[in-house]
Amino acid sequence: MQIIKTALLAYGGSGKLFHAPFLNFHHGFQLVGAWERSKKNIQHDYADAKSFDTLEEVLASDAELIIVNTPINTHFEYAKKALEAGKNVLVEKAFTTTSEEAEILDKIAKEKNLKLCVYQNRRWDSDFLTVQKILKSGKLGEISEAEIRFERYNPNLSPKAWKEKNQAGSGILMDLGSHIIDQALVLFGWPEAVFADIRSLRPNTEVNDFFDILLYYPDNRVRLKATFFAKEQLPGYVLQGRNGSFIKMRGDVQEDELKLGKIPNRETWGTEDSKNQGLINVGDKSENLETLQGNYLHLFDALYRSIVMDEPVPVPASDAVKSLKIMEAAEESSTKGIKILLK
C-alpha cells in the first residue's frame, strides 16, 4: 500500500483533534511531523513524528501532503508556498479570506497538477449525512423552505485575543458560517440571491458573532443562522416539503469524542445517541428516523484515493470559492441592507 507522508502546519487544537488521530489510524498516511513554533508537544503523542522549527523546514522535508491548519489569515500564504514547493495540500476552513485568493490557489494547483482539498469535515457529520439522505429520497416532496443552524452559548470573549480582533478571517461568519454555507450549497446548489444580517453582540468584541442569512432559490428559501447566544438550541436542520417535514437536532459526537481522547475506528465511530434521532412527518405518519453513522475517516479515504489513484478530491477549491462568494455577498447585503443578486 502506498503511504502518503503528511505534515501539519500546527499542532494545537485542530492538529491534535481533527487531523493527527485520523492520519495515525489510516493505513495510507504517515504523520511525519508538525511545525511547532513554541510548545513542542507532538512527540509526546507520536514518538516518531518530528517537530519542525520553520515552515521552510517542513517544505524541504519528504512530506507529500501538507495540512494547512493555522489561523485563516495565514492560509493563502502557506498553501501557496506549499503548492509552489510541489506539495499536495489540505486546507482547513475557511479556505482563504477572499474568493480571489481561493481562485489563485486553485489555478496554481491545476497548473502544477497537484491535489488541493478543503477540509470540510462536517460533510461527514452524522446529522448532515442523514439530512442529505432524506433530501435525496424525495419523501418530503419539493422543498419549500429549509433552515440550517449552528448555535452555541458562549457569551464571553475568547481567551485567544487574536480571535476577537477585527482582521481578515475573524468572526463567526468565517468560522461556523463556512460549515453551514457549504452544507447549504451541497444540498441545494447555487442560489439566485442573498440577504443577510450580520452583527456583533458581545461587549468589547471587534468581530461578528451573529448572522442570519437568507438564500433565494427559484422555488424555495434556505435560512442559515449562527450565534453565541443560544442557551436553548433549536433544531440544527429543518426541511419543509410539500409532502411533509423533517426536523433534526445537531447530534454528531465526533468532536466530543476526540476531545475525550477516543481513537477513531470504522465500526462504531460517529454513532449518535438514539435520543437525537430526527423526526419525519409525511402524510399521516410521524416517526423518529435512525441517524446515519458519521466518520471523518471517509474524507481521508477520498483524499488518499485522490492522491494515489488520481481521483477528484472530496472537497475541491472551487467549492470554497462559491462559499466565499456567498460570505462576501452576505457582508455586502448586511452593510447596505439590500438583497444581493448573484451571478
Side-chain angles (χ1 to χ4, degrees):
M1 185 177 190
Q2 183 175 333
I3 304 299
I4 301 171
K5 294 183 177 181
T6 305
L8 302 169
L9 292 194
Y11 192 65
S14 70
K16 189 179 180 70
L17 292 181
F18 292 109
H19 298 290
F22 295 97
L23 295 169
N24 188 59
F25 177 85
H26 198 291
H27 295 308
F29 294 92
Q30 178 189 349
L31 177 59
V32 298
W35 177 17
E36 296 185 285
R37 296 147 190 79
S38 54
K39 297 179 181 179
K40 301 291 186 176
N41 293 326
I42 193 168
Q43 290 180 339
H44 296 159
D45 299 328
Y46 304 97
D48 295 332
K50 181 177 180 178
S51 179
F52 295 102
D53 294 322
T54 65
L55 175 60
E56 290 70 27
E57 191 179 356
V58 177
L59 299 182
S61 74
D62 60 354
E64 305 161 75
L65 172 65
I66 304 297
I67 297 181
V68 180
N69 58 318
T70 49
I72 296 169
N73 60 1
T74 67
H75 285 185
F76 175 71
E77 176 189 355
Y78 294 164
K80 185 172 182 288
K81 287 182 176 179
L83 290 168
E84 290 172 342
K87 309 292 187 179
N88 300 295
V89 181
L90 175 65
V91 185
E92 282 199 342
K93 61 82 195 169
F95 186 63
T96 53
T97 61
T98 69
S99 60
E100 181 181 5
E101 289 179 341
E103 288 172 332
I104 291 171
L105 293 180
D106 192 24
K107 181 179 179 182
I108 294 172
K110 289 174 178 175
E111 288 175 348
K112 291 184 170 292
N113 197 29
L114 294 167
K115 298 298 182 180
L116 176 61
C117 183
V118 189
Y119 185 72
Q120 276 292 0
N121 59 314
R122 295 196 180 276
R123 289 191 187 187
W124 288 269
D125 276 358
S126 54
D127 38 36
F128 177 69
L129 291 172
T130 304
V131 169
Q132 196 172 20
K133 179 181 178 181
I134 285 293
L135 190 62
K136 288 181 177 179
S137 74
K139 291 180 180 179
L140 302 179
E142 183 180 348
I143 301 298
S144 59
E145 180 184 3
E147 188 169 290
I148 306 177
R149 292 173 173 263
F150 207 143
E151 300 175 321
R152 292 174 174 170
Y153 185 72
N154 188 16
N156 300 316
L157 298 186
S158 172
K160 299 178 181 178
W162 59 269
K163 284 194 170 185
E164 302 295 345
K165 296 298 181 183
N166 184 17
Q167 58 185 352
S170 61
I172 199 172
L173 180 62
M174 278 279 179
D175 184 16
L176 302 183
S178 63
H179 283 309
I180 61 176
I181 290 171
D182 176 74
Q183 291 185 346
L185 294 178
V186 170
L187 294 174
F188 301 103
W190 187 249
E192 296 181 331
V194 174
F195 182 79
D197 178 22
I198 304 171
R199 292 188 281 163
S200 300
L201 302 179
R202 295 167 302 158
N204 302 316
T205 186
E206 297 178 10
V207 304
N208 57 74
D209 51 26
F210 167 95
F211 67 77
D212 183 354
I213 298 173
L214 187 62
L215 303 181
Y216 291 76
Y217 293 86
D219 299 313
N220 68 304
R221 301 289 183 266
V222 178
R223 183 176 296 278
L224 309 175
K225 296 192 71 172
T227 180
F228 286 155
F229 286 97
K231 191 76 169 180
E232 289 291 339
Q233 295 185 8
L234 295 175
Y237 302 89
V238 177
L239 299 178
Q240 306 285 20
R242 301 298 174 93
N243 297 339
S245 303
F246 180 69
I247 298 174
K248 176 75 176 72
M249 298 296 293
R250 286 197 172 272
D252 189 84
V253 299
Q254 294 182 80
E255 182 173 351
D256 289 340
E257 291 190 339
L258 290 165
K259 288 178 178 178
L260 293 173
K262 294 185 178 181
I263 306 300
N265 64 70
R266 294 189 182 277
E267 290 75 39
T268 59
W269 185 258
T271 302
E272 279 191 26
D273 192 307
S274 59
K275 67 182 181 182
N276 289 326
Q277 289 180 352
L279 178 69
I280 185 168
N281 189 332
V282 176
D284 59 355
K285 188 176 183 181
S286 177
E287 61 181 339
N288 289 324
L289 186 73
E290 183 177 359
T291 307
L292 297 179
Q293 180 182 349
N295 201 329
Y296 301 154
L297 273 170
H298 296 321
L299 186 156
F300 289 96
D301 287 340
L303 181 58
Y304 178 85
R305 293 193 301 271
S306 174
I307 295 173
V308 173
M309 304 174 189
D310 197 29
E311 294 185 5
V313 295
V315 187
S318 56
D319 285 4
V321 171
K322 293 176 183 177
S323 292
L324 287 160
K325 285 184 181 294
I326 296 292
M327 293 184 206
E328 291 162 354
E331 289 174 334
E332 182 182 359
S333 171
S334 184
T335 299
K336 297 179 178 179
I338 61 174
K339 180 170 71 173
I340 303 298
L341 298 178
L342 299 173
K343 297 179 181 179

